[in-house]
């Protein structure tokens, strides 16, 4: 099977499907509990699950007190483990079950890993709770310090100890570790050492009775451990059927990845249940690679990989299309949750304001110069400037806003620009650049100066360059600072005019803000009471304006020049930007994620207030084509512009392309390896065959855009 033929399979893209289970247990009845475990086991197999986690002491039940020391029960538990191993031969998931197991005259509270007829290993609980309602020291020996041992199950001799990590030989990055309940609550969770030793999926078999407020504590611990260890953290607590003689159980089971909750079970169930999610283990590995402090911690801990045994097993991944059990946000820079979006917009806006305030104080400049076109970017930069001047208690009249109409400036955008300048109370001026542009084109002998409709790069950049030049000159004249307006998305695509153009300014508040986020920032500024009613209404009108550089006159049917027709839809290119630069993913994986996020406009969530008419969908051919455009423009075409980008505050995580910040690369790189990977591994939709070649690198039809937008 070729890589392209496997495109729809999660295993091709570094995902492992996991399930956290809360079976209905029978008190002190290992046979019944094994049967319930097996039923869920088969359900997980049918759902394409790779790893299934069950609760602590799930084969015996947890709350059985002194029955845990009854030899008949302990022997039955061992028999059921052997039976589950035999049943697992034809079942795909790796099983992690909880059991009380005797060894060398002691009983340990254990996690048992089972796969394809084999008992892979046994991990004892390190820390035993013996306070308030817990009495585990009465029955169990602590596992802390138990390393390098073995345990026999019939004909199988298996590793036994806290020094065990499991690794699939045939599915990259499928590595996991198990700890039990109290281990996570300790000051030094065993999973921390396991993560430093290379485990990417950390599993917790728990009983954990429920009291008011405890569920929040568990979720906080799981989320924080997954962030700290840069891992996935799976948690499964005892649920229905446990003895309620003195305690109660809610069956909380969760799946976290890098602090994000991917799925969870319903609490207080009456029957068995499981929650399923796809863990991006490849992303976890890449995240650790680029986080020096994580690797320094491994060095400081004495390289824990030296002290762990790697238990390798054959997983036999299916490489079939089983869908994707994971939410992929269409807009990675824009949260779907209304409360979170409001908070993010508040923070982003104030980061920008704070950055500009500091720059103005440092330079002792009391005025700024900004070009205002009536488009999104310059609109947002202007409202940031207004708030910065309010914070400094400077008059907004010190903001010198220029509208600079060219050969294709529309009446609508010009009207929006003036309406906003007037509503905000800034000093507005207009400089018509057409006479200067025509004179320059004449000096160059350009066909347009002779009346020919030639709208090439020179035609566009003459206008873009003049706009920047005109902004710097009044800044000299009036002791002002030129405020940049270009955004992160345009810098990524190189959609800006270098040097004497919109790529340059004294300070740029938008340089680390993606286009898709700016739209929401403008809406937030308009609806959250930041400005007067008239200004807010104008902001909403700007939002309704099509994105256009307005450098080329409308065609014979009145259609305006479209930025997105040349560089691609910003919603797709921002998606590509996020996953390529933030996580370093392969292009084929980015295409796979985009395919799941964008192929059905009716599926999944959209950000609050997102217009229904603007809810687009893209097929795989479109996704692949625009991703190729992104790869060429980002890796080969435009780094030299980013290498000279002005100062500006970082706003979002992984959202800076500054050579002084998140992103460093040579300006003379080639995009060949990324384009080649895309060609080889992403099939055109419905063709069933990989694309032999793209039609060559996307042509850079224009390197210009308006100086302000």
């Amino acid at each position: 099977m070729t890589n392209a033929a496997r495109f729809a399979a999660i295993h091709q893209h570094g995902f492992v499907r996991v399930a956290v289970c809360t079976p209905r247990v029978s008190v002190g009845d290992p046979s019944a509990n094994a049967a319930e475990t097996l039923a869920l086991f088969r359900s997980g197999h049918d759902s394409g699950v790779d790893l299934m986690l069950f609760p602590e002491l799930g084969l015996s039940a947890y709350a059985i007190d002194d029955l845990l020391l009854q030899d008949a029960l302990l022997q039955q538990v061992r028999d059921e483990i052997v039976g589950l191993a035999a049943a697992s031969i034809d079942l795909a998931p790796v099983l992690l079950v909880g059991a009380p197991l005797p060894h060398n005259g002691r009983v340990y509270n254990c996690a048992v890993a089972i796969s394809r007829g084999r008992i892979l290993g046994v991990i004892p609980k390190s820390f035993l709770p013996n306070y308030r309602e817990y009495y585990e020291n009465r029955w169990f020996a602590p596992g802390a310090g138990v390393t390098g041992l073995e345990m026999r199950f019939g004909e199988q001799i298996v590793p036994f100890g806290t020094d065990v990590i499991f690794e699939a030989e045939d599915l990259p990055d499928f590595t996991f570790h198990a700890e039990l309940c109290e281990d996570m609550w300790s000051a030094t969770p065993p999973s921390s050492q396991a993560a430093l030793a290379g485990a990417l999926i950390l599993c917790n078999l728990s009983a954990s009775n429920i009291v008011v407020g405890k569920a929040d504590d568990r979720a906080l611990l799981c989320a924080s451990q997954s962030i700290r260890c840069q891992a996935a953290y799976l948690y499964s607590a005892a649920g229905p059927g446990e003895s309620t003689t003195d305690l109660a159980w809610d069956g909380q089971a969760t799946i976290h990845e890098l602090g994000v909750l991917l799925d969870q079970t319903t609490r207080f169930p009456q029957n068995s249940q499981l929650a399923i999610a796809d863990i991006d283990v490849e992303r976890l590995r890449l995240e650790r690679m680029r986080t020096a402090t994580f690797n320094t911690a491994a060095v400081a801990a004495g390289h824990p990989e030296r002290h762990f045994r790697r238990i390798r097993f054959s997983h036999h991944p299916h490489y079939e299309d089983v869908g994707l059990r994971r939410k992929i946000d269409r807009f990675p820079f824009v949260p779907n949750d209304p409360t979170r979006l409001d908070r993010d917009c508040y923070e982003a806006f104030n980061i920008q304001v704070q950055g500009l305030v500091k720059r103005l104080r440092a330079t002792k400049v009391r005025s700024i110069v900004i070009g205002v076109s009536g488009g999104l970017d310059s609109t947002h930069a202007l409202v940031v400037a207004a708030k910065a001047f309010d914070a400094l208690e400077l008059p907004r009249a010190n903001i010198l806003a220029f509208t600079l109409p060219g050969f294709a400036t529309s009446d609508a955008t010009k009207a929006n620009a003036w309406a906003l300048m007037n509503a905000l109370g800034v000093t507005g001026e207009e400089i018509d650049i057409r006479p200067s542009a025509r004179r320059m084109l004449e000096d160059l002998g350009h066909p347009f100066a002779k009346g020919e409709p030639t709208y090439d790069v020179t035609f566009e950049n003459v206008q873009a360059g003049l706009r920047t030049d005109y902004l710097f000159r009044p800044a000299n004249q009036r002791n002002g600072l030129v405020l940049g307006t270009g955004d992160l998305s345009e810098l990524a695509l190189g959609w800006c005019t270098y040097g004497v153009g919109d790529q340059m300014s004294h300070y740029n508040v938008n340089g680390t803000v993606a286009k898709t986020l700016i739209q929401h920032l403008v809406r937030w500024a308009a609806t959250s009471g930041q400005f007067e009613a008239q200004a807010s209404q104008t902001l909403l009108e700007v939002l309704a304006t099509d994105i256009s550089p307005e450098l080329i006159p409308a065609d014979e049917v009145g259609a305006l020049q479209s930025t997105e027709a040349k560089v691609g839809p910003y919603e797709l290119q921002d998606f590509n930007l996020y996953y390529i630069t933030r996580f370093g993913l392969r292009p084929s994986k980015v295409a796979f994620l985009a395919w799941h996020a964008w192929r059905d406009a009716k599926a999944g969530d959209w950000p609050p207030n997102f217009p229904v008419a603007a809810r687009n969908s893209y097929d795989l051919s479109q996704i692949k084509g625009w991703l190729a455009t992104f790869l060429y423009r980002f890796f080969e075409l435009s780094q030299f512009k980013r290498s000279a980008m002005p100062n500006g505050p970082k706003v979002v995580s992984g959202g800076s392309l500054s050579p002084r910040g998140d992103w460093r690369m040579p300006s003379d790189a080639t995009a060949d390896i990324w384009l080649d990977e895309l060609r080889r591994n992403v099939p055109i939709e419905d063709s069933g065959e990989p694309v032999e070649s793209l039609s060559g690198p996307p042509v850079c039809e224009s390197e210009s855009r308006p100086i302000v937008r």
Side-chain angles (χ1 to χ4, degrees):
M1 182 185 293
T2 65
N3 287 343
R6 293 178 173 181
F7 176 77
I10 60 171
H11 290 154
Q12 178 68 14
H13 300 288
F15 290 96
V16 170
R17 179 160 295 179
V18 301
V20 288
C21 311
T22 55
R24 182 175 181 84
V25 300
S26 299
V27 175
D29 188 348
S31 296
N33 293 332
E36 197 70 18
T37 297
L38 184 57
L40 285 173
F41 193 7
R42 288 175 173 145
S43 177
H45 172 83
D46 293 340
S47 297
V49 172
D50 298 298
L51 174 64
M52 301 185 73
L53 175 68
F54 286 79
E56 180 182 17
L57 297 176
L59 291 181
S60 60
Y62 179 84
I64 61 175
D65 300 329
D66 289 352
L67 298 184
L68 289 164
L69 298 177
Q70 289 289 309
D71 197 45
L73 181 136
L74 294 174
Q75 185 57 54
Q76 187 64 40
V77 166
R78 290 177 62 86
D79 291 344
E80 297 302 336
I81 290 173
V82 173
L84 285 171
S88 72
I89 292 176
D90 297 320
L91 297 174
V94 179
L95 202 62
L96 273 173
V97 295
L101 292 173
H103 181 78
N104 200 25
R106 309 178 186 92
V107 179
Y108 292 89
N109 183 347
C110 297
V112 183
I114 298 169
S115 174
R116 301 285 189 182
R118 176 185 167 197
I119 301 171
L120 300 178
V122 177
I123 299 177
K125 187 174 184 176
S126 292
F127 300 101
L128 303 178
N130 218 63
Y131 51 86
R132 293 194 292 272
E133 64 263 49
Y134 301 112
Y135 295 91
E136 288 193 30
N137 280 343
R138 180 181 177 95
W139 311 297
F140 300 118
V146 175
T147 60
L149 302 182
E150 295 178 331
M151 184 177 287
R152 178 181 288 275
F153 288 87
E155 298 300 316
Q156 296 188 55
I157 298 177
V158 304
F160 171 57
T162 59
D163 58 338
V164 173
I165 291 175
F166 304 98
E167 177 182 38
E169 296 174 329
D170 47 2
L171 186 57
D173 301 321
F174 184 12
T175 57
F176 65 93
H177 170 267
E179 61 186 7
L180 294 97
C181 201
E182 187 75 4
D183 292 344
M184 178 181 69
W185 297 76
S186 72
T188 55
S191 57
S192 296
Q193 292 294 305
L196 293 174
L200 293 167
I201 302 175
L202 310 176
C203 304
N204 189 304
L205 300 82
S206 178
S208 187
N209 63 294
I210 186 62
V211 294
V212 173
K214 192 174 185 180
D216 291 339
D217 293 341
R218 296 181 194 138
L220 179 62
L221 283 169
C222 292
S224 63
Q225 188 67 348
S226 71
I227 293 176
R228 181 178 296 108
C229 294
Q230 297 192 322
Y233 200 90
L234 280 54
Y235 180 85
S236 178
E242 282 284 1
S243 171
T244 57
T245 300
D246 290 298
L247 303 172
W249 317 86
D250 65 336
Q252 183 179 22
T254 58
I255 303 170
H256 285 85
E257 179 185 310
L258 291 176
V260 177
L261 178 65
L262 299 186
D263 201 7
Q264 61 183 329
T265 57
T266 301
R267 295 175 59 213
F268 301 106
Q270 295 303 308
N271 298 300
S272 300
Q273 59 176 340
L274 71 167
I276 299 175
D278 292 333
I279 300 296
D280 193 343
V281 288
E282 181 180 78
R283 171 192 171 192
L284 294 174
R285 172 177 55 80
L286 292 171
E287 189 70 356
R288 290 180 180 180
M289 282 172 48
R290 58 176 30 88
T291 308
T293 49
F294 181 88
N295 299 303
T296 301
V299 174
H303 293 284
E305 65 266 28
R306 296 173 179 171
H307 312 300
F308 277 83
R309 289 175 284 176
R310 286 241 173 177
I311 310 304
R312 293 176 171 82
F313 62 96
S314 295
H315 184 56
H316 306 297
H318 49 69
Y319 288 100
E320 296 174 355
D321 182 1
V322 292
L324 184 64
R325 302 286 285 265
R326 178 188 181 93
K327 288 184 178 180
I328 304 295
D329 291 338
R330 293 177 172 89
F331 300 94
F333 294 106
V334 183
N336 295 324
D337 177 69
T339 301
R340 174 68 187 277
L341 177 59
D342 180 74
R343 188 179 72 206
D344 283 10
C345 286
Y346 164 81
E347 287 185 335
F349 187 77
N350 282 283
I351 289 169
Q352 293 176 280
V353 170
Q354 184 191 61
L356 182 56
V357 164
K358 172 61 179 176
R359 180 51 56 97
L360 290 169
R361 281 178 173 158
T363 59
K364 299 180 174 58
V365 169
R366 298 177 62 83
S367 65
I368 64 170
V369 175
I370 181 174
V372 182
S373 70
L376 275 175
D377 293 348
S378 64
T379 291
H380 183 59
L382 181 59
V383 297
V384 167
K387 278 296 179 182
F389 273 65
D390 292 348
L392 289 167
E393 298 183 347
L394 292 173
R396 290 184 186 175
N398 285 17
I399 300 172
L400 311 177
F402 289 83
T403 179
L404 302 153
F407 295 119
T409 300
S410 69
D411 293 338
T413 55
K414 183 177 175 181
N416 282 343
W418 272 110
L420 185 62
M421 292 187 291
N422 291 332
L424 291 174
V426 304
T427 299
E429 298 186 34
E430 181 174 317
I431 298 176
D432 187 344
I433 68 166
R434 287 174 293 182
S436 297
R438 187 172 284 106
R439 174 58 187 271
M440 183 176 289
L441 291 169
E442 288 174 358
D443 291 344
L444 293 172
H446 192 275
F448 178 81
K450 302 174 184 177
E452 299 178 21
T454 301
Y455 308 127
D456 56 9
V457 173
T458 302
F459 176 81
E460 296 186 53
N461 277 353
V462 160
Q463 297 172 78
L466 280 171
R467 282 172 173 154
T468 298
D469 201 12
Y470 270 120
L471 293 178
F472 273 97
R473 300 299 75 81
N476 298 150
Q477 182 187 44
R478 307 178 199 184
N479 192 30
L481 179 153
V482 176
L483 187 66
T485 62
D487 62 49
L488 177 71
S489 310
E490 294 170 344
L491 282 166
L493 293 162
W495 192 247
C496 52
T497 302
Y498 183 72
V500 185
D502 57 310
Q503 178 265 346
M504 187 50 61
S505 63
H506 288 125
Y507 196 75
N508 184 5
V509 292
N510 286 346
T512 65
V513 185
K515 179 78 76 176
T516 48
L517 177 56
I518 283 184
Q519 297 176 40
H520 292 274
L521 286 170
V522 171
R523 183 177 288 109
W524 179 84
T527 59
S528 62
Q530 302 299 311
F531 297 100
E532 300 81 1
Q534 184 57 52
S536 296
Q537 180 58 40
T538 303
L539 293 178
L540 295 176
E541 291 173 4
V542 170
L543 278 171
T545 304
D546 289 338
I547 299 173
S548 171
E550 293 194 333
L551 290 171
I552 296 175
D555 62 19
E556 59 276 3
V557 296
L560 296 175
Q561 180 185 14
S562 170
T563 297
E564 293 179 301
K566 289 191 175 182
V567 300
Y570 278 116
E571 56 196 11
L572 271 187
Q573 301 299 34
D574 280 358
F575 189 97
N576 296 332
L577 168 65
Y578 180 79
Y579 285 103
I580 292 288
T581 62
R582 176 64 180 83
F583 298 110
L585 301 186
R586 291 168 288 114
S588 61
K589 182 168 182 172
V590 177
F592 174 80
L593 295 174
W595 182 53
H596 278 281
W598 286 100
R599 61 182 174 176
D600 184 357
K602 296 180 180 178
D605 299 323
W606 291 85
N609 303 313
F610 200 90
V612 174
R615 297 183 179 184
N616 298 316
S617 62
Y618 300 96
D619 62 30
L620 188 55
S621 297
Q622 293 170 307
I623 289 167
K624 182 174 183 178
W626 288 123
L627 179 52
T629 297
F630 177 87
L631 296 173
Y632 175 72
R633 296 189 71 98
F634 183 82
F635 286 107
E636 189 162 323
L637 185 67
S638 56
Q639 176 59 29
F640 74 99
K641 299 180 181 180
R642 297 188 290 270
S643 294
M645 64 183 284
N647 295 171
K650 179 178 176 180
V651 174
V652 297
S653 175
S656 173
L657 297 177
S658 168
R660 303 168 295 277
D662 288 10
W663 188 258
R664 295 164 176 83
M665 69 168 281
S667 296
D668 48 8
T670 174
D672 289 352
I673 60 170
W674 288 272
L675 289 168
D676 183 58
E677 199 279 340
L678 182 70
R679 292 185 183 102
R680 287 185 289 107
N681 296 327
V682 181
I684 290 295
E685 190 173 44
D686 298 328
S687 71
E689 295 295 333
V691 176
E692 292 301 325
S693 65
L694 298 174
S695 57
V699 176
C700 179
E701 296 159 285
S702 172
E703 285 311 301
S704 64
R705 54 175 292 283
I707 184 59
V708 288
R709 216 181 31 69

